[in-house]
Amino acid sequence: ERIFTAPRHPYTKALLGSVPSLDPDQRSTRPAILGDIPSPERPPPGCHYHPRCAVRLARCDRDDPPVGSFPDGICRCVLAQSSR
């Protein structure tokens, strides 16, 4: 439930923001997620989501993010951990 109400990872936020609404008055104005989906057999170095993340940092391309523990769950994102 928390993933839908308070997602921490920027890519999760983008995915949830891209879900179409059935209500024509509640259409999303968020930009589409750009880029190709990485291969699960050969994931990119660093954060596996960085090729499609609009807020990635330079370190996301090379550094594997550590697991961060939060009172409401865990998240593997340097941005989520810096926003504690």
Side-chain angles (χ1 to χ4, degrees):
E1 182 179 325
R2 189 215 40 90
I3 290 175
F4 293 100
T5 58
R8 286 194 179 273
H9 198 285
Y11 190 71
T12 304
K13 292 176 184 178
L15 286 175
L16 292 173
S18 68
V19 175
S21 171
L22 296 176
D23 183 350
D25 296 328
Q26 298 293 325
R27 299 292 182 192
S28 175
T29 57
R30 293 180 186 227
I33 298 173
L34 303 176
D36 294 327
I37 299 171
S39 167
E41 293 176 352
R42 289 177 289 132
C47 177
H48 293 183
Y49 302 101
H50 83 262
R52 303 187 79 204
C53 183
V55 295
R56 72 178 179 261
L57 304 173
R59 67 186 277 195
C60 300
D61 297 354
R62 64 179 186 279
D63 298 339
D64 191 27
V67 175
S69 293
F70 302 89
D72 55 352
I74 61 170
C75 181
R76 289 186 65 132
C77 178
V78 296
L79 294 169
Q81 294 179 26
S82 64
S83 66
R84 281 190 189 186

